[in-house]
Amino acid sequence: MLRTAMPTAVPTPPSHPFLSACRGERPSRTPIWVMRQAGRYLPEYREIRSRVSFEALCRTPELCAEVTLQPIDRFGLDAAILFSDILVVFDAIGVPVVFNPSPQVAAPVRTAADVKALRWGRAADHLDYVYQAVRACKQALTGRVPLIGFCGAPMTTASYMIEGGSSREFEHTKAMAFTEPALFGGMLENITTLLIEYLAGQVAAGADVVQIFESWGAAFAPDDYRIHVLPHVRRLVAECKPLGVPIILFVRGNAGLLSQIRDLGADVLGVDWSLDLSDAIDVVGTHQVVQGNLDPLTLLGPAALVTEKAERIVVAGRSARAHIFNLGHGISRHTDPAMLQHLVDVVHRS
Ligand code: CP3
C-alpha cells in the first residue's frame, strides 16, 4: 500500500508558535496563517490551474502538496492548510459536484428518498486520496510548519447538497429544517458521522491541527441555529476531541453565535470580521484562544491601512489567552501577494 511505502514524515516541533498558541500558551510572536492562503491570488497557483482542473488538483496528492506549500515557501506563514475543499466529502456519499469555480450539485438532496439513496456508512473510507494528500504535505513540509486539516461544519456542508450550490438565502435548507426537522436532523447526523471519520483519517495521516469551517453560520437566526444546527457541531467537536489534536472552530456570521459556540470545547475559536476582536474576546472570555480577524478586503487598500488595522488586532489579541492572527474570512483572489507579505511582516514584528 502507498501509505507504508512512503518514508516517515518529519514531525513539527511541539514548540512551534502556532501549536503553542493552539494549546493556550503565549508564543514569543503572534503566529499568522490566512484562510484560502493557497489559491487564485497566487500566480504559481494559477499556473498549475491552467493545466489541471480544480477537481483533478484535489485528487492528485503530489499536486495538493505542491500547492499547499506555495504560500509557505513565499511568505513565511506559521501554518500550512491542506489544499482541498470542504465539498470533496460528497465523493464519499455519491453526490457529484463540479466547480465552476463556484460549486454546483446537479442533483440536489431534498427529500427523504434522496437522503436514503446516498452511500452512508464508512463513507470516509472513500476519501483515501485526501489522506494521501495529507501524507504528501507532511513529507514536503519536513517539519517546517504544522499542517492544518479541515472539514466543513455539518450544516454548511449539507447546505451545498440541499441548495445545489452556493446560496444567498438558504431557502431549501431552512425550509427543510423548519418543515421536516427529523429529516434535516437525520441528514446532519449522518453527515456529522462522516465528518468525524474524515477528520480522524486526516489526523491519522498526519494533520497536526484541524479546523471546522461553519462558513454559513449566519444562514440561521440564533434561536434556530441553537435548535437545528448547534447539537451537530457540539457532537462533531466532542467526538474529535479524542483525536488529540487542537480543534479550531471558525463560524462566519458569528457575532450572534459566539455565545453559543464558546462552550463546545473547541481549543481555538475563529472570529470573522463582523465584530472587533476585543468585543469577541469580551463574549468568549479571556481564557479562550482566538483566531482572526482582519477583513480580507483590507488587503486591497493601502499598506499603511493594513499596518494600522493589523497592529490594532494584534494589540486586541493580547487580552486573550493566546491569539493566532488570520483574516476574518478567505483571502480575496484580487489580492496582491506583496500585500500579504506586508501583513505577515507587520504581524511578526508587532
Ligand atoms: O484555505 C486554503 O488555502 C485551503 C484550501 C480550501 C479551498 N476551499 C480551496 C478552494 C479550503 C480550506 C476551502 C474551504 C471551503 N470551500 C469553504 C469554507 C471556507 C470559506 O471560504 O467559507 C467553502 C464554503 C468551500 C466551498 C467552495 N469551494 C466555494 C464556495 C468555492 C468557490 C468560491 C470561489 O472562491 O470562487 C470553492 C472552490 C475553491 N475551493 C477554490 C479554491 C482555491 C477555487 C477553485 C479554483 O481554483 O478555480
Side-chain angles (χ1 to χ4, degrees):
M1 245 160 94
L2 228 172
R3 79 184 59 163
T4 45
M6 239 186 223
T8 321
V10 182
T12 317
S15 59
H16 189 281
F18 172 70
L19 292 180
S20 307
C22 287
R23 286 195 306 266
E25 296 151 17
R26 280 218 147 258
S28 51
R29 61 172 163 79
T30 304
I32 172 171
W33 69 280
V34 304
M35 290 185 272
R36 293 284 184 97
Q37 64 190 22
R40 288 168 295 175
Y41 73 104
L42 285 178
E44 56 270 38
Y45 174 82
R46 293 197 300 270
E47 195 281 318
I48 290 189
R49 280 282 285 106
S50 69
R51 296 183 274 118
V52 188
S53 71
F54 179 70
E55 292 85 342
L57 180 50
C58 289
R59 292 186 178 89
T60 312
E62 298 70 31
L63 287 179
C64 286
E66 185 178 338
V67 169
T68 299
L69 266 74
Q70 285 176 346
I72 304 305
D73 293 336
R74 210 190 229 269
F75 302 111
L77 293 155
D78 294 297
I81 179 160
L82 169 71
F83 188 84
S84 188
D85 196 86
I86 61 165
L87 302 184
V88 301
V89 294
F90 289 0
D91 266 9
I93 48 178
V95 176
V97 55
V98 293
F99 293 85
N100 269 328
S102 107
Q104 280 154 16
V105 175
V109 179
R110 292 182 187 155
T111 66
D114 294 341
V115 174
K116 197 155 177 268
L118 300 180
R119 190 168 62 193
W120 303 109
R122 299 210 58 85
D125 288 356
H126 298 273
L127 294 166
D128 200 53
Y129 65 87
V130 181
Y131 311 142
Q132 288 187 35
V134 170
R135 287 189 192 91
C137 287
K138 285 297 288 180
Q139 198 67 37
L141 282 167
T142 59
R144 277 195 285 164
V145 293
L147 179 69
I148 304 168
F150 67 90
C151 71
M155 183 275 293
T156 287
T157 307
S159 77
Y160 285 92
M161 279 163 56
I162 303 169
E163 301 293 333
S166 300
S167 173
R168 266 180 178 280
E169 305 289 347
F170 297 90
E171 57 266 44
H172 296 289
T173 307
K174 293 168 78 173
M176 189 172 168
F178 299 152
T179 61
E180 296 193 77
L183 175 62
F184 184 75
M187 181 171 170
L188 260 59
E189 202 167 315
N190 285 344
I191 290 175
T192 305
T193 302
L194 163 63
L195 296 172
I196 293 162
E197 290 170 4
Y198 182 49
L199 288 183
Q202 293 183 43
V203 171
D208 297 289
V209 172
V210 292
Q211 173 155 323
I212 299 165
F213 286 90
E214 183 75 290
S215 301
W216 300 112
F220 281 82
D223 57 340
D224 294 322
Y225 191 90
R226 190 187 301 281
I227 294 168
H228 296 287
V229 184
L230 191 66
H232 305 283
V233 187
R234 175 177 286 119
R235 180 176 153 235
L236 177 58
V237 172
E239 296 203 20
C240 286
K241 278 301 234 189
L243 298 176
V245 300
I247 300 169
I248 307 174
L249 176 59
F250 168 70
V251 178
R252 191 154 70 99
N254 64 9
L257 295 176
L258 276 175
S259 58
Q260 294 190 36
I261 60 155
R262 68 182 171 193
D263 299 322
L264 298 185
D267 299 271
V268 181
L269 295 176
V271 180
D272 74 13
W273 53 271
S274 65
L275 73 173
D276 285 343
L277 190 63
S278 51
D279 291 337
I281 294 167
D282 283 346
V283 176
V284 302
T286 51
H287 62 287
Q288 261 291 348
V289 182
V290 294
Q291 173 177 284
N293 77 338
L294 182 70
D295 175 358
L297 295 192
T298 311
L299 298 180
L300 304 187
L305 182 72
V306 172
T307 307
E308 181 200 324
K309 289 200 158 211
E311 284 176 347
R312 216 180 303 149
I313 289 171
V314 170
V315 169
R318 291 202 180 113
S319 62
R321 177 164 171 188
H323 173 219
I324 298 159
F325 199 101
N326 206 314
L327 302 177
H329 192 216
I331 190 167
S332 158
R333 60 184 294 195
H334 304 294
T335 308
D336 178 350
M339 198 58 87
L340 178 55
Q341 185 67 67
H342 173 68
L343 174 66
V344 172
D345 295 343
V346 168
V347 172
H348 278 168
R349 71 161 185 254
S350 296

PDB file of all heavy atoms in Angstrom, residues 1 57 85 120 147 221 260 330 341:
ATOM      1  N   MET A   1       0.826  -1.202   0.000  1.00  0.00           N
ATOM      2  CA  MET A   1       0.000   0.000   0.000  1.00  0.00           C
ATOM      3  C   MET A   1       0.864   1.258   0.000  1.00  0.00           C
ATOM      4  O   MET A   1       1.915   1.290   0.630  1.00  0.00           O
ATOM      5  CB  MET A   1      -0.879  -0.001   1.243  1.00  0.00           C
ATOM      6  CG  MET A   1      -2.350  -0.102   0.921  1.00  0.00           C
ATOM      7  SD  MET A   1      -3.251  -0.682   2.344  1.00  0.00           S
ATOM      8  CE  MET A   1      -3.758   0.837   3.071  1.00  0.00           C
ATOM      9  N   LEU A  57      -6.956  18.546  -9.400  1.00  0.00           N
ATOM     10  CA  LEU A  57      -5.948  19.022  -8.445  1.00  0.00           C
ATOM     11  C   LEU A  57      -6.213  18.418  -7.057  1.00  0.00           C
ATOM     12  O   LEU A  57      -5.312  17.871  -6.415  1.00  0.00           O
ATOM     13  CB  LEU A  57      -6.005  20.556  -8.419  1.00  0.00           C
ATOM     14  CG  LEU A  57      -5.065  21.345  -7.522  1.00  0.00           C
ATOM     15  CD1 LEU A  57      -3.630  20.894  -7.691  1.00  0.00           C
ATOM     16  CD2 LEU A  57      -5.189  22.835  -7.838  1.00  0.00           C
ATOM     17  N   ASP A  85     -11.001  20.811  -0.502  1.00  0.00           N
ATOM     18  CA  ASP A  85     -12.218  21.608  -0.400  1.00  0.00           C
ATOM     19  C   ASP A  85     -13.156  20.918   0.576  1.00  0.00           C
ATOM     20  O   ASP A  85     -13.130  19.689   0.691  1.00  0.00           O
ATOM     21  CB  ASP A  85     -12.906  21.755  -1.762  1.00  0.00           C
ATOM     22  CG  ASP A  85     -13.918  22.886  -1.734  1.00  0.00           C
ATOM     23  OD1 ASP A  85     -13.524  24.044  -1.964  1.00  0.00           O
ATOM     24  OD2 ASP A  85     -15.099  22.618  -1.432  1.00  0.00           O
ATOM     25  N   TRP A 120     -24.206   6.151   2.756  1.00  0.00           N
ATOM     26  CA  TRP A 120     -23.769   6.394   4.135  1.00  0.00           C
ATOM     27  C   TRP A 120     -23.084   5.128   4.659  1.00  0.00           C
ATOM     28  O   TRP A 120     -23.229   4.057   4.104  1.00  0.00           O
ATOM     29  CB  TRP A 120     -24.963   6.736   5.032  1.00  0.00           C
ATOM     30  CG  TRP A 120     -25.759   7.910   4.570  1.00  0.00           C
ATOM     31  CD1 TRP A 120     -27.008   7.878   4.047  1.00  0.00           C
ATOM     32  CD2 TRP A 120     -25.367   9.289   4.567  1.00  0.00           C
ATOM     33  NE1 TRP A 120     -27.428   9.152   3.731  1.00  0.00           N
ATOM     34  CE2 TRP A 120     -26.434  10.029   4.041  1.00  0.00           C
ATOM     35  CE3 TRP A 120     -24.213   9.976   4.964  1.00  0.00           C
ATOM     36  CZ2 TRP A 120     -26.402  11.424   3.900  1.00  0.00           C
ATOM     37  CZ3 TRP A 120     -24.185  11.351   4.829  1.00  0.00           C
ATOM     38  CH2 TRP A 120     -25.260  12.060   4.304  1.00  0.00           C
ATOM     39  N   LEU A 147       0.689  21.329   9.900  1.00  0.00           N
ATOM     40  CA  LEU A 147      -0.310  21.201   8.834  1.00  0.00           C
ATOM     41  C   LEU A 147      -1.713  21.159   9.438  1.00  0.00           C
ATOM     42  O   LEU A 147      -1.981  20.381  10.346  1.00  0.00           O
ATOM     43  CB  LEU A 147      -0.065  19.910   8.037  1.00  0.00           C
ATOM     44  CG  LEU A 147      -1.074  19.659   6.910  1.00  0.00           C
ATOM     45  CD1 LEU A 147      -0.887  20.677   5.783  1.00  0.00           C
ATOM     46  CD2 LEU A 147      -0.941  18.232   6.359  1.00  0.00           C
ATOM     47  N   ALA A 221     -31.144  32.137  12.086  1.00  0.00           N
ATOM     48  CA  ALA A 221     -31.271  33.039  13.233  1.00  0.00           C
ATOM     49  C   ALA A 221     -30.729  32.303  14.462  1.00  0.00           C
ATOM     50  O   ALA A 221     -30.790  31.070  14.523  1.00  0.00           O
ATOM     51  CB  ALA A 221     -32.733  33.411  13.454  1.00  0.00           C
ATOM     52  N   GLN A 260     -22.981  30.911  21.707  1.00  0.00           N
ATOM     53  CA  GLN A 260     -23.405  29.509  21.589  1.00  0.00           C
ATOM     54  C   GLN A 260     -22.222  28.577  21.395  1.00  0.00           C
ATOM     55  O   GLN A 260     -22.225  27.442  21.867  1.00  0.00           O
ATOM     56  CB  GLN A 260     -24.362  29.333  20.400  1.00  0.00           C
ATOM     57  CG  GLN A 260     -25.685  30.053  20.561  1.00  0.00           C
ATOM     58  CD  GLN A 260     -26.687  29.642  19.487  1.00  0.00           C
ATOM     59  OE1 GLN A 260     -26.733  28.496  19.062  1.00  0.00           O
ATOM     60  NE2 GLN A 260     -27.490  30.584  19.054  1.00  0.00           N
ATOM     61  N   GLY A 330     -11.820  34.056   3.934  1.00  0.00           N
ATOM     62  CA  GLY A 330     -10.774  33.715   2.968  1.00  0.00           C
ATOM     63  C   GLY A 330     -10.215  34.934   2.237  1.00  0.00           C
ATOM     64  O   GLY A 330     -10.919  35.912   1.977  1.00  0.00           O
ATOM     65  N   GLN A 341       2.432  39.641   2.027  1.00  0.00           N
ATOM     66  CA  GLN A 341       3.781  39.637   2.623  1.00  0.00           C
ATOM     67  C   GLN A 341       3.910  40.782   3.628  1.00  0.00           C
ATOM     68  O   GLN A 341       4.441  40.595   4.730  1.00  0.00           O
ATOM     69  CB  GLN A 341       4.848  39.770   1.525  1.00  0.00           C
ATOM     70  CG  GLN A 341       6.263  39.659   2.071  1.00  0.00           C
ATOM     71  CD  GLN A 341       6.556  38.268   2.607  1.00  0.00           C
ATOM     72  OE1 GLN A 341       6.618  37.311   1.848  1.00  0.00           O
ATOM     73  NE2 GLN A 341       6.694  38.146   3.930  1.00  0.00           N
TER      74      GLN A 341
END
